[in-house]
Amino acid sequence: MTAPLPIKTVATRAFNDQRPGTSGLRKKTKVFEQPHYLANFVQSIFSSLEGFEGKALVVGGDGRYFNREAIQIILKMAVANGFGEIIVGRAGILSTPAASAVIRHEKAFGGIVLSASHNPGGPDADFGIKYNISAGGPAPEKITEAIFAHSKVIESYKTVEAPDVDIDHLGETFVGATKVRVIDPVAIYRDLMASLFDFSAIRALFASGFTMKFDAMSAVTGPYAKAILEGDLGAAPGTVLNGEPLPDFGHHHPDPNLVHAKHLYDLAMSDAAPDICAASDGDGDRNLVIGRGQFVTPSDSLAIIAANAHLAPGYSQGIAGVARSMPTSGAADRVAKKLGVGIFETPTGWKFFGNLLDAGKVTICGEESAGAGSNHVREKDGLWAVLMWLNILAVRKQSVKEIVRAHWAEFGRNYYSRHDYEEIATEGANALVAGLREKLASLPGQIFGSLTVAAADDFSYLDPIDGSLSQQQGIRILFADGSRIVYRLSGTGTSGATLRVYIERYEPDPARHDLETQAALAELIALAGSIAEIRKHTGRDAPTVIT
Ligand code: G1P
Ligand code: ZN
């Protein structure tokens, strides 16, 4: 240990736009690069916390542009604020689920994760920061609101004068009295995966000629996927595509959806298709799974994982329950019912799952936005979902397509799609939502074509563990036949507003499980447009992205 460094107090002025959204604070990189902007937010985090003196803080990010600079700022501020140890991933790298795993494994006080997830990176793209609590998950609203309150009145922040810390070599150094420990970003996560899944069964699967392509999208999962898939599990070299994390993700959107990972979809549908195609996003928490000739919607993936988790050693005792975000399809509900376990419907965003996981109410969680995870960490986890699928395939000795089809035959199929209208004017978006709220009371009982409205509301959630209430979490229109339309505005965008429209229809009849999704939902899609007057309020004839 070296002598404590003198604390430097830097005068600053408050910014008024630092309210964390669905997943931390996300802004254009240039906003974060303004003098004091990041430091203000970091001080607001520290000032909202109590009792961390002498304790450990985990710091890492997805490697995007500004990651390294941000880490140096955070390290020095953490030293000045009195943390006893800072644990940082080598080169500043930690995937979001790995950061959660490290916080838990090291019993840290909390962690700071630098990422704007699936949003593009670079000087003209996006950056983000969020705080995770000691359980490893995103800070609950009580803390994010305290951070925001502090950010509005901040007048100074604390830092130290010190040379930049070497974060590229494993080992320990001291900055003043604070230990800085640079760790292998992969090791703890890799051990955790080996403890949950049957690696020898998956190795045997690959040895038998099973083929895979995993696209790391030049983002954070490359090193994790190479070590686990090509290393531990014996997948062929070249299984991992775009495995080097790049600061600008190779100019791509690291978003594993049907737009930005279309090449993977095309491959999976082609004659040259491997047995499974998969991908993860910028920070490694989302997943995409496509079997040969069979796309798996995230909502179906959640349901299939819940139904089959017991096939993986880490879940062989069965699952305690399932949680899904409200807009996620009801496919998982049918599985939970059959298993006789609890099902919870929460607002959008992983932070709402934390209490349920901590209380042991649920084991598996998921969102329609390509997120699935379990109680092993407190974030969604892209590679975990892929490994779970590999474990299921290895045990069931069936193809992805056979497993999906068998699931639908047993539980029925929830046709599901999300239509996004990106970067629309904020006033129009707000007017659309206000218009819907006004209509809510008059909708029940109305008949539109073959559809009768059974109920309509603005979703609110009373957390069963801590009693906190979250209101206005999305407009729901529920129909008598179980179909749904949900509208909400994104809380992760960085310019203008994004309207998300979620459309779902349940089809029990296996003879009708082969419809094209948009066709199967056509009546609901048209109705979603007319009820909300989407064209009038957005000026758009069609969504920007359909998933
Ligand atoms: C989006 C997704 C949500 C997810 C979040 C963070 O948030 O819809 O499910 O938790 O990204 O990955 P939104 O932009 O809709 O607020
Ligand atoms: Zn992400």
Side-chain angles (χ1 to χ4, degrees):
M1 185 188 313
T2 47
L5 291 170
I7 294 169
K8 190 173 142 193
T9 302
V10 181
T12 187
R13 63 172 179 84
F15 294 88
N16 60 7
D17 64 347
Q18 296 196 328
R19 173 178 243 142
T22 312
S23 185
L25 185 68
R26 289 202 193 150
K27 299 280 174 199
K28 290 287 166 209
T29 310
K30 290 228 154 55
V31 174
F32 273 104
E33 286 180 305
Q34 298 173 82
H36 309 310
Y37 191 89
L38 175 72
N40 274 20
F41 190 74
V42 172
Q43 186 62 55
S44 300
I45 294 175
F46 295 155
S47 300
S48 307
L49 305 174
E50 272 171 24
F52 57 79
E53 290 75 15
K55 305 228 168 95
L57 179 75
V58 172
V59 182
D62 62 12
R64 70 180 59 223
Y65 178 89
F66 196 54
N67 194 53
R68 283 175 169 274
E69 293 81 351
I71 285 180
Q72 295 296 340
I73 292 170
I74 294 165
L75 286 180
K76 290 168 197 173
M77 290 184 66
V79 169
N81 276 272
F83 279 93
E85 181 177 7
I86 303 161
I87 302 169
V88 52
R90 184 180 44 215
I93 294 285
L94 278 177
S95 76
T96 293
S100 185
V102 172
I103 294 169
R104 293 167 68 80
H105 186 267
E106 300 295 318
K107 303 199 167 27
F109 184 87
I112 291 182
V113 184
L114 302 168
S115 171
S117 189
H118 50 287
N119 294 7
D124 297 313
D126 294 353
F127 192 78
I129 173 170
K130 72 175 177 179
Y131 178 71
N132 283 24
I133 57 176
S134 61
E141 275 187 343
K142 189 165 67 112
I143 297 181
T144 56
E145 285 302 308
I147 296 170
F148 178 51
H150 202 276
S151 75
K152 289 187 290 190
V153 296
I154 188 170
E155 290 176 347
S156 66
Y157 59 86
K158 289 188 223 171
T159 186
V160 294
E161 297 270 16
D164 280 357
V165 185
D166 173 9
I167 55 171
D168 292 300
H169 297 94
L170 301 183
E172 295 178 359
T173 46
F174 275 88
V175 178
T178 303
K179 186 197 283 182
V180 177
R181 184 148 57 94
V182 179
I183 61 162
D184 175 351
V186 175
I188 290 171
Y189 180 83
R190 181 183 194 171
D191 290 348
L192 180 57
M193 292 302 115
S195 75
L196 298 173
F197 298 114
D198 189 343
F199 272 25
S200 58
I202 303 174
R203 254 196 310 272
L205 180 72
F206 279 116
S208 73
F210 182 89
T211 52
M212 173 175 197
K213 288 289 176 205
F214 177 90
D215 193 342
M217 305 190 89
S218 305
V220 81
T221 44
Y224 299 85
K226 276 194 200 161
I228 297 171
L229 298 174
E230 295 184 14
D232 299 339
L233 298 173
T239 295
V240 178
L241 308 171
N242 301 310
E244 289 305 319
L246 300 175
D248 65 352
F249 308 123
H251 282 308
H252 294 299
H253 273 254
D255 189 353
N257 64 19
L258 294 182
V259 175
H260 301 297
K262 179 150 189 313
H263 57 284
L264 219 53
Y265 180 85
D266 292 343
L267 175 65
M269 299 302 149
S270 76
D271 290 342
D275 291 296
I276 193 168
C277 290
S280 190
D281 71 329
D283 62 331
D285 57 358
R286 294 188 176 199
N287 77 84
L288 172 75
V289 169
I290 319 177
R292 180 183 290 133
Q294 181 67 57
F295 173 66
V296 189
T297 70
S299 293
D300 278 349
S301 184
L302 172 66
I304 293 169
I305 286 174
N308 292 278
H310 62 279
L311 301 177
Y315 309 88
S316 60
Q317 305 300 311
I319 58 173
V322 184
R324 62 164 173 85
S325 66
M326 180 274 282
T328 304
S329 97
D333 303 33
R334 295 175 188 278
V335 174
K337 196 166 168 219
K338 181 146 190 185
L339 293 174
V341 300
I343 175 82
F344 296 82
E345 187 177 36
T346 60
T348 296
W350 209 261
K351 59 179 177 262
F352 294 100
F353 295 138
N355 281 345
L356 296 169
L357 289 163
D358 289 348
K361 297 261 182 219
V362 301
T363 307
I364 305 285
C365 307
E367 295 193 274
E368 53 67 42
S369 53
S374 85
N375 58 355
H376 69 291
V377 288
R378 293 294 181 274
E379 291 278 5
K380 55 185 178 259
D381 188 342
L383 259 178
W384 172 90
V386 173
L387 292 169
M388 177 63 97
W389 266 96
L390 290 175
N391 198 141
I392 294 168
L393 293 168
V395 175
R396 286 187 52 167
K397 301 193 188 333
Q398 289 174 300
S399 67
V400 171
K401 188 170 196 161
E402 286 164 340
I403 289 173
V404 170
R405 295 286 157 155
H407 187 89
W408 290 342
E410 183 176 354
F411 294 95
R413 176 171 181 184
N414 290 69
Y415 281 102
Y416 186 86
S417 185
R418 186 177 100 186
H419 289 200
D420 291 337
Y421 296 78
E422 296 177 323
E423 296 192 28
I424 56 176
T426 309
E427 305 77 54
N430 290 339
L432 182 147
V433 172
L436 279 169
R437 288 204 176 111
E438 268 170 35
K439 284 187 185 166
L440 283 177
S442 65
L443 279 170
Q446 286 197 43
I447 297 170
F448 300 95
S450 69
L451 295 155
T452 305
V453 179
D457 67 3
D458 197 346
F459 182 64
S460 71
Y461 178 65
L462 182 64
D463 185 304
I465 312 300
D466 68 14
S468 59
L469 182 67
S470 302
Q471 291 172 295
Q472 302 199 324
Q473 297 294 322
I475 307 278
R476 301 192 289 186
I477 304 180
L478 311 169
F479 297 91
D481 68 351
S483 298
R484 292 195 309 173
I485 301 171
V486 173
Y487 306 86
R488 58 179 285 282
L489 299 182
S490 160
T492 58
T494 55
S495 47
T498 291
L499 168 69
R500 304 202 194 285
V501 186
Y502 311 80
I503 304 127
E504 175 179 2
R505 177 164 86 77
Y506 178 63
E507 177 55 70
D509 182 0
R512 295 204 301 213
H513 285 171
D514 280 311
L515 304 178
E516 193 275 318
T517 299
Q518 301 305 313
L521 298 172
E523 187 181 8
L524 283 155
I525 292 169
L527 189 54
S530 61
I531 292 183
E533 301 179 279
I534 293 179
R535 184 175 305 173
K536 175 179 137 194
H537 289 300
T538 68
R540 302 278 176 85
D541 287 328
T544 346
V545 179
I546 296 181
T547 49

